[in-house]
Amino acid sequence: MTSSILDHRLLRQFIAVAETGSVRAGAQKLNISQPPLTQAIKRLEDGLGVALFERQPKGMALTPAGTALAVEARELLLRIERAEHRVREAAYPGAPLRIGFVSAALNGALTHCLRKLRERGYVRPELQELTTPAQLDALASGQIDLGLLHPPIATQDLTTLSLGRDPFVAAVPSDWDLARRKTLKFQDIADRPLVLFPQSQGPSLMSAIERIAFEVGQTLDVVAHAPRVHSQLAIVASGIGIGLVTESTSRSLQYSSVTWVPISDTRSRLFLELLCVGGPDVIAAVR
């Protein structure tokens, strides 16, 4: 009996390209380089003897055969996932799914993931609030099974899923003149006292803020650092300076003496992205 070409790894790679419409985006989704993914798609097409994608100037579109495989592949992967979960449940009854998360995940992402996981049979979550570096260490050592954290991360051993990008808005003391504006530009706040998170907590994000300030001819005047949003807002409410918080936070929090004002010219450049990181099976359950 000949072995089937349809192993779960190839199917997951195929689905990544099918869902993103390109090998480049599919490789980013799987956190691998492009050449192995290109070779995997070719191996799958050669093994099946059909073209699964139509190569186009701006990406790849599924052929009728590819569309048929996509339907079957999703069902096969779901069945494999259910089988693996039932085996684990039989071997370790009551074993929890250990989840690490950053505080930004509390604005809806964590609830979304827990609902998805419950639908797939993961009904015993064990939650830990951890920084991104701490989560990466815990994932590497097997102390947690799933992480909700911020990029960038450098690992080839974990599957990642973007949960979206959350642009920043200005948290302005309500008695300041800028609080009466409907929108601001970054230049409007770059020369004002700022209340930000410690650089060690988000070095890449802080570099982006400093770069935008440089482009508008300003050097940041950071008068206070606060590692958590509530402590940042307490400082802002006292009138010491302007804070930067995510848009989802501004929708879910009301804080006395703080006014949220959108920043119109940085939405596509100044944002907080959230990733779901873990093994391929648990990530598949979150999708």
Side-chain angles (χ1 to χ4, degrees):
M1 180 181 294
T2 59
S3 60
S4 172
I5 188 67
L6 298 177
D7 72 73
H8 70 93
R9 185 174 293 103
L10 278 178
L11 290 177
R12 286 195 176 93
Q13 292 169 329
F14 163 73
I15 288 296
V17 177
E19 290 180 345
T20 61
S22 76
V23 172
R24 180 184 61 80
Q28 290 176 345
K29 186 172 186 176
L30 295 170
N31 200 31
I32 62 175
S33 59
Q34 291 187 46
L37 186 55
T38 299
Q39 294 167 12
I41 297 302
K42 185 178 186 303
R43 188 161 63 252
L44 188 57
E45 290 183 319
D46 289 346
L48 292 172
V50 298
L52 300 172
F53 293 97
E54 179 184 345
R55 277 68 175 175
Q56 299 177 337
K58 293 186 178 180
M60 301 172 69
L62 288 171
T63 62
T67 299
L69 180 60
V71 172
E72 297 296 332
R74 290 187 179 97
E75 180 60 29
L76 283 170
L77 291 173
L78 183 58
R79 289 182 179 179
I80 290 171
E81 178 192 329
R82 283 198 297 259
E84 291 174 346
H85 178 62
R86 287 174 181 170
V87 169
R88 285 194 296 267
E89 280 285 297
Y92 307 103
L97 181 71
R98 300 161 300 171
I99 302 173
F101 64 93
V102 293
S103 58
L106 293 171
N107 291 325
L110 179 58
T111 298
H112 167 80
C113 289
L114 290 174
R115 284 175 177 164
K116 286 282 190 178
L117 290 166
R118 187 190 64 188
E119 291 170 2
R120 299 294 178 88
Y122 295 90
V123 295
R124 298 179 181 87
E126 184 178 280
L127 304 179
Q128 302 178 59
E129 184 172 355
L130 300 167
T131 65
T132 290
Q135 286 187 59
L136 292 174
D137 289 342
L139 285 163
S141 62
Q143 295 177 333
I144 63 173
D145 307 300
L146 181 69
L148 276 68
L149 47 79
H150 300 305
I153 64 171
T155 177
Q156 296 290 327
D157 302 324
L158 297 169
T159 302
T160 64
L161 171 68
S162 177
L163 298 176
R165 295 176 171 183
D166 201 356
F168 280 87
V169 303
V172 183
S174 295
D175 58 354
W176 283 27
D177 60 320
L178 294 183
R180 294 189 289 274
R181 302 269 292 273
K182 290 186 177 180
T183 62
L184 297 171
K185 292 187 176 181
F186 193 83
Q187 189 166 15
D188 297 326
I189 65 173
D191 63 345
R192 302 290 184 105
L194 295 175
V195 182
L196 301 179
F197 49 86
Q199 184 162 11
S200 60
Q201 190 170 314
S204 297
L205 182 57
M206 183 61 74
S207 295
I209 295 171
E210 291 172 342
R211 183 168 58 252
I212 296 172
F214 176 78
E215 290 172 2
V216 298
Q218 298 291 340
T219 301
L220 297 180
D221 178 20
V222 182
V223 295
H225 290 98
R228 295 289 182 267
V229 67
H230 284 282
S231 54
Q232 180 186 148
L233 294 177
I235 298 172
V236 172
S238 72
I240 289 177
I242 296 173
L244 292 175
V245 302
T246 59
E247 191 172 72
S248 64
T249 297
S250 72
R251 289 197 298 264
S252 61
L253 267 183
Q254 294 296 322
Y255 208 94
S256 178
S257 302
V258 174
T259 299
W260 315 115
V261 187
I263 308 171
S264 62
D265 58 344
T266 61
R267 290 184 62 84
S268 63
R269 301 179 60 195
L270 193 58
F271 53 79
L272 197 61
E273 185 173 10
L274 197 61
L275 296 180
C276 196
V277 181
D281 298 322
V282 68
I283 295 298
V286 175
R287 293 189 190 281

